[in-house]
Amino acid sequence: MKGDPAKIRVTLSAMGHSAQYFPGGSGKVEIYVTPPRTLEGILEDLCVAKDLFMFALVEDKKVGFDYVPRDGDEVVLVSPVMGG
Amino acid sequence: MKLGGYMGKILEVDLTAKKSRTFPTGEDLIRDYVGGRGFVAKLLWDLVPRGADPLSPENVVVIAPGPLTGVFVPASGKVHMGAKSPATGGYGDSNMGGHFSPEIKYAGYDALVVRGKAEKPVVLVIDDDKVSFEDAGDLWGKGAITAEKILKDRLGEDFQIAVIGPAGENLVKFACISHDFGRQAGRTGVGAVWGSKNLKAVAVRGSRTIPVAQPKEAFSKAKEMYKTCFHKPGFKTWTPYGTAEVVDWVNKVGAFPTKNFSTTYFERHNRINGQSLKERILITDKGCFGCPTPCGKYSRAQTRLGEVLVEGPEYETIALLGGNVALGEIEEVAYANRVADELGLDTISAGNVAAFAIECFEKGLLSREQIGRNLSWGDLESVVYLLEKMARREGIGDLLAEGVKVASEKIGGGSERFAIHVKGLEWSGYEARWAPAMMISYITCDVGAHHNRSWAITFDVAKGRDSLEGKADKAIELQHIRPLFDVLGLCRLQWVEIGFELENYAEIFPMVTGLGYSWEDLIKVSERIWNLTRAFSAREIPGFGRSFDYPPARFMEEPVPDGPAKGKFLARESVDRLLDDYYAKRGWTKEGIPTRSKLSELGLDFVAEELEKDGYSI
Amino acid sequence: MNLTAYSQRCSGCKACLLVCALENFGLNNPKYGALNIIQHFPDPGTFEVKVCTRCGTCKDVCPTGAIEMGDNGFFRVNSEECIGCRACVEACPEKVIRFIVEKNVAFTCTGCGECVRYCPREAVTDASGEVARA
């Protein structure tokens, strides 16, 4: 809940074609979570399969699904690609 | 409004007579088929005589850029190469990046049509209006990369060259066409068709300007498109790895071709992934024309067999010439990649064929005497030996050069069960026993087991990998969207990789062409083409239909032995349910042939008449 | 504007050539771009980017004096005075001068900065920092 001092704000955005499977289909959600919560756990809460993404980025750096977001983190989830 | 994006004429070359002529790009052709893959499909339908042997002079080669090719639009360097396929006997095409396609436009053509057969090996040289036939006697037998370099030195660096290697000359059913030292039109054996025509290479140089219908609007929109790409979060992080980046993910979801698809998880995946490529062998990124996110990786790799320079390996090569033959070091995959590129072999099919041969040897269906040596998984020497043999059709290579379908029919002993193909085209890099949407995508793909028409495995992950619900619908949706890029002459990876929105293409298309088509109109064009290519195969392959749309028995009967997909397979009943659903949603008969009413709806009455002549009940 | 090339960043895509020709002439033709992308393949597998160094050779060889330095420090071809002899095209040591057939005029880099803005790789940059990638 916004305003709850025990919670932190995390923005998740999906990059690429898996964005369509995000809640609302917009590929972006801003949520408030009680820390510590892993990225995997947050995706579970959102009913989004973590296998929809190859990895995540925080400040342009790769992180795994065991990453524990901090307040204000903007996490980008990267969709898998296919070869040529 | 004047049309833009089109050069207004098509070049037709008769190799038998060594003559060429041009004809206007027809208004109907543009209206109904737009360009690229659409032109390939329609021109093959019109020009290939019914029942033509794919490797006879009667077959026709069509090479087509799209209306956006060579125009200032992100990644506008793609070309579509078509012919009746020697691998499947049906509709065949393959798509290639690089700089060849824009050059065709700058030379003044919307497509090239090549017919007949040259008496002796030739290079077709197109220098704007000037068309000549240069002797290729000294190039015949030379590798694709070597021959391209010789031609660059001889004709000039500003010529763009597409060339075949020994595999194409030797009519290997999965020979590719190569360009720019590492880009290939790999699939469906288009390289063998060139070989059958004694066509070693096509060299093109052009100086013309491509007209644009609304130049100011298109220029400003294109700038905005590039800028949008630059600021996508994946722009900086995806590009350095290219398609190899997906290796770990495909393993994670249990879909990685391993040891001839006997399993779907390769324990050495982290030795052949994007990070291995970047940290151990990468020299430079190598982009196709106008590409903001070049997936091309040029590498230098050292192995015990020597050092190679190679463009790649990209994902498909890592999957089929890596995991599928169990090569567990990126340097070894790069080495096999270079060998295949020089020989002019499609790495996807060649990886399948090599793996099939190793499994046959393991099971005692091919002997050491027949092969000429022992074969084993994960052995670079075995793989290189097989590639050389198949490209030159020496010894066992003569049989392997026919592809896994024909080879398994001749070898027998149950080897058909693990000949991994659909319609005669070997399976690409995504195993689908636990991915029904990907499975229906593969088995209904118009050219055979290829991923690029519909790549639906994330739909399986999102909607449930055991469920069959909605899977056919998704495959159909993607089979219309994705090939549309091949129609426009663009690369789709910006959309797929970094989430570049489809609306952008819908917006710029009318600005460039002056054709007032909405995205929905373009999707309809794509559906028309899909039905036409299916009909082409029905016209050319006696008894074509449902029975051609099944995966190998391995995928329907053998549970995956280990890894994330352990225990999974897709039973024949499930495949049948997917096919029933797919045909119904497509408006096709239960036998998988487009109905008269569907063909009429798409303006394809002339196709319906032909199919009825062939005795199809539609 | 201080145009500087970083060859090792180039992927050979030629977006710079297209945006150059479009910005300066409205022509969709990369052969009119006032940069030179040289590829060294298959061996050693590198790209080389040449840009105008403002060396002034073009001005020196022009028989009609049609080339003069503009306010921004880049040379300009006066289309009224250019006779289309292409002496500058031949003489340019970087091979970055083009002849625009449709306009019958030689074209030297104007320093417009569009290549800097639209090179996806930042292989062409402005060392003065005035212009950056879009």
Side-chain angles (χ1 to χ4, degrees):
Chain A
M1 185 70 69
K2 198 169 177 176
D4 182 343
K7 297 206 171 196
I8 60 164
R9 183 176 59 91
V10 178
T11 308
L12 295 181
S13 55
M15 187 191 82
H17 58 102
S18 286
Q20 62 190 301
Y21 305 119
F22 242 52
S26 74
K28 191 165 184 174
V29 287
E30 192 182 283
I31 50 165
Y32 292 84
V33 293
T34 309
R37 190 92 175 108
T38 61
L39 195 49
E40 182 168 0
I42 295 171
L43 286 172
E44 254 172 45
D45 296 346
L46 292 168
C47 298
V48 172
K50 77 173 192 314
D51 281 353
L52 283 171
F53 304 99
M54 291 196 289
F55 53 82
L57 301 168
V58 177
E59 290 169 8
D60 284 342
K61 292 217 171 55
K62 266 193 200 182
V63 297
F65 290 95
D66 54 354
Y67 176 75
V68 181
R70 294 160 304 174
D71 190 29
D73 265 357
E74 293 190 12
V75 182
V76 177
L77 295 150
V78 181
S79 305
V81 300
M82 47 100 227
Chain B
M1 193 191 301
K2 202 174 172 302
L3 279 190
Y6 296 95
M7 305 309 286
K9 60 182 193 289
I10 291 172
L11 177 69
E12 186 181 45
V13 175
D14 179 351
L15 291 173
T16 311
K18 287 200 178 177
K19 281 190 176 150
S20 67
R21 67 171 188 119
T22 62
F23 58 90
T25 313
E27 280 173 33
D28 294 356
L29 186 66
I30 290 173
R31 184 193 63 214
D32 295 339
Y33 300 95
V34 177
R37 170 172 147 88
F39 283 9
V40 168
K42 182 57 164 55
L43 291 168
L44 289 181
W45 175 271
D46 288 346
L47 301 177
V48 176
R50 177 189 285 266
D53 175 347
L55 297 176
S56 75
E58 284 193 310
N59 200 358
V60 177
V61 166
V62 181
I63 302 167
L68 301 190
T69 300
V71 175
F72 187 59
V73 175
S76 62
K78 288 282 206 159
V79 69
H80 222 60
M81 307 266 206
K84 181 175 174 178
S85 167
T88 68
Y91 174 79
D93 71 21
S94 196
N95 197 271
M96 182 177 85
H99 301 262
F100 186 70
S101 197
E103 209 65 29
I104 295 172
K105 297 277 291 283
Y106 302 135
Y109 309 104
D110 294 318
L112 311 177
V113 174
V114 184
R115 317 178 71 155
K117 178 184 180 179
E119 197 188 340
K120 290 178 184 162
V122 292
V123 178
L124 173 62
V125 182
I126 301 165
D127 194 2
D128 280 333
D129 292 338
K130 193 167 157 272
V131 178
S132 57
F133 303 84
E134 311 279 334
D135 179 60
D138 62 327
L139 298 173
W140 205 249
K142 288 213 159 50
I145 293 165
T146 305
E148 183 173 2
K149 178 69 177 135
I150 293 171
L151 283 169
K152 283 263 186 189
D153 290 345
R154 190 179 292 171
L155 297 169
E157 189 61 42
D158 51 352
F159 273 86
Q160 298 298 337
I161 293 157
V163 58
I164 60 167
E169 298 169 10
N170 296 326
L171 313 182
V172 176
K173 299 287 174 66
F174 43 93
C176 66
I177 296 163
S178 305
H179 158 63
D180 201 23
F181 309 105
R183 288 274 150 189
Q184 284 87 16
R187 309 242 62 200
T188 74
V190 283
V193 177
W194 282 33
S196 75
K197 296 183 173 306
N198 270 333
L199 181 62
K200 179 69 179 176
V202 178
V204 189
R205 181 171 67 175
S207 66
R208 289 190 168 76
T209 298
I210 301 177
V212 173
Q214 294 173 265
K216 285 207 176 76
E217 290 82 354
F219 188 37
S220 132
K221 175 65 193 171
K223 282 181 167 181
E224 179 202 308
M225 287 169 83
Y226 272 98
K227 193 173 166 184
T228 305
C229 286
F230 296 160
H231 294 280
K232 288 285 179 189
F235 177 76
K236 264 195 281 183
T237 45
W238 181 84
T239 310
Y241 301 95
T243 61
E245 181 64 42
V246 83
V247 169
D248 293 335
W249 182 84
V250 183
N251 271 283
K252 183 171 77 166
V253 300
F256 194 66
T258 306
K259 295 186 181 175
N260 199 30
F261 292 85
S262 62
T263 187
T264 63
Y265 180 81
F266 186 43
E267 66 279 5
R268 297 183 66 88
H269 66 89
N270 61 355
R271 298 293 301 169
I272 58 173
N273 59 7
Q275 203 171 337
S276 307
L277 187 155
K278 183 168 182 289
E279 289 173 1
R280 286 154 53 186
I281 62 174
L282 179 70
I283 300 173
T284 184
D285 292 355
K286 185 160 170 283
C288 297
F289 187 84
C291 180
T293 57
C295 69
K297 306 293 155 209
Y298 203 76
S299 308
R300 181 189 297 275
Q302 182 71 48
T303 72
R304 64 185 181 281
L305 298 186
E307 187 188 74
V308 288
L309 284 157
V310 64
E311 179 167 342
E314 53 83 53
Y315 172 72
E316 295 298 328
T317 303
I318 293 174
L320 281 312
L321 271 181
N324 209 39
V325 290
L327 289 181
E329 297 292 344
I330 194 71
E331 291 82 358
E332 294 179 339
V333 182
Y335 190 92
N337 191 168
R338 166 70 187 222
V339 171
D341 284 4
E342 180 74 338
L343 292 168
L345 292 164
D346 168 29
T347 53
I348 296 175
S349 285
N352 269 276
V353 173
F356 172 79
I358 297 171
E359 184 163 353
C360 282
F361 176 74
E362 214 179 31
K363 291 194 155 68
L365 297 170
L366 285 176
S367 67
R368 183 195 153 92
E369 289 64 40
Q370 281 171 298
I371 295 163
R373 60 166 286 153
N374 289 328
L375 299 176
S376 58
W377 298 115
D379 175 41
L380 182 58
E381 279 93 340
S382 293
V383 174
V384 170
Y385 177 84
L386 288 167
L387 295 175
E388 294 278 357
K389 289 288 168 194
M390 59 181 93
R392 304 194 190 283
R393 283 189 177 268
E394 288 167 357
I396 193 68
D398 196 33
L399 177 61
L400 297 178
E402 296 296 310
V404 298
K405 176 173 183 282
V406 172
S408 68
E409 285 163 6
K410 297 224 167 118
I411 291 167
S415 62
E416 297 92 337
R417 300 176 53 81
F418 56 84
I420 312 298
H421 74 94
V422 179
K423 301 177 182 67
L425 186 75
E426 288 78 10
W427 205 282
S428 62
Y430 310 90
E431 208 280 357
R433 267 177 277 194
W434 192 30
M438 198 67 224
M439 181 68 89
I440 189 70
S441 300
Y442 266 115
I443 61 183
T444 60
C445 171
D446 57 354
V447 293
H450 195 45
H451 60 281
N452 84 345
R453 306 292 201 252
S454 164
W455 192 84
I457 194 163
T458 46
F459 186 77
D460 286 310
V461 171
K463 304 291 176 184
R465 295 182 65 174
D466 293 311
S467 160
L468 305 182
E469 217 54 49
K471 302 296 170 82
D473 303 74
K474 189 65 184 182
I476 293 168
E477 179 196 330
L478 289 170
Q479 284 172 346
H480 292 164
I481 297 174
R482 295 172 63 99
L484 197 46
F485 286 87
D486 304 336
V487 172
L488 301 176
L490 300 177
C491 182
R492 62 178 78 74
L493 289 194
Q494 286 65 44
W495 166 56
V496 179
E497 283 161 8
I498 63 169
F500 187 61
E501 298 79 4
L502 289 176
E503 294 75 31
N504 289 295
Y505 302 102
E507 223 177 292
I508 201 161
F509 176 79
M511 294 174 181
V512 172
T513 63
L515 292 166
Y517 287 8
S518 66
W519 188 251
E520 291 67 35
D521 295 334
L522 288 169
I523 292 292
K524 204 72 191 166
V525 169
S526 202
E527 185 183 6
R528 178 178 301 122
I529 297 165
W530 193 268
N531 279 265
L532 183 62
T533 60
R534 181 79 178 180
F536 183 95
S537 294
R539 189 186 80 178
E540 296 301 322
I541 302 173
F544 186 76
R546 188 179 188 113
S547 65
F548 287 72
D549 291 347
Y550 286 86
R554 167 160 284 170
F555 292 178
M556 295 189 286
E557 294 165 19
E558 287 179 26
V560 176
D562 52 22
K566 186 174 178 179
K568 300 292 180 181
F569 64 101
L570 199 68
R572 178 174 274 268
E573 299 76 52
S574 298
V575 173
D576 274 324
R577 271 184 57 198
L578 287 169
L579 284 175
D580 286 340
D581 193 17
Y582 178 89
Y583 296 153
K585 298 273 169 48
R586 274 237 171 259
W588 291 359
T589 69
K590 282 194 176 349
E591 282 305 305
I593 306 298
T595 57
R596 181 171 254 286
S597 67
K598 173 50 80 176
L599 292 169
S600 273
E601 176 202 317
L602 296 167
L604 297 172
D605 290 291
F606 63 96
V607 171
E609 280 157 32
E610 292 291 315
L611 294 185
E612 278 168 354
K613 257 193 239 168
D614 283 320
Y616 290 104
S617 310
I618 56 169
Chain C
M1 177 72 174
N2 184 2
L3 207 53
T4 310
Y6 291 88
S7 290
Q8 71 279 14
R9 294 181 189 167
C10 177
S11 79
C13 84
K14 303 178 187 166
C16 56
L17 300 176
L18 258 184
V19 76
C20 175
L22 279 160
E23 180 68 21
N24 288 286
F25 295 97
L27 295 172
N28 195 103
N29 188 341
K31 309 293 169 93
Y32 293 158
L35 301 92
N36 187 8
I37 311 296
I38 306 163
Q39 62 166 48
H40 302 283
F41 286 88
D43 193 359
T46 53
F47 294 98
E48 197 180 341
V49 184
K50 303 275 196 184
V51 296
C52 174
T53 61
R54 293 182 275 172
C55 68
T57 306
C58 50
K59 182 180 179 342
D60 295 343
V61 300
C62 179
T64 64
I67 302 178
E68 279 178 39
M69 186 171 280
D71 296 340
N72 67 351
F74 283 80
F75 292 93
R76 299 276 174 154
V77 181
N78 183 332
S79 58
E80 302 291 308
E81 289 170 33
C82 175
I83 55 168
C85 72
R86 308 188 196 200
C88 55
V89 176
E90 293 302 317
C92 174
E94 307 299 320
K95 297 288 174 227
V96 294
I97 302 183
R98 305 288 169 239
F99 189 78
I100 313 297
V101 176
E102 282 95 328
K103 315 270 176 189
N104 196 36
V105 68
F107 167 50
T108 61
C109 174
T110 57
C112 71
E114 288 301 277
C115 53
V116 175
R117 289 184 188 94
Y118 293 97
C119 171
R121 315 278 304 172
E122 295 178 274
V124 194
T125 63
D126 173 15
S128 78
E130 286 165 39
V131 182
R133 193 179 60 196

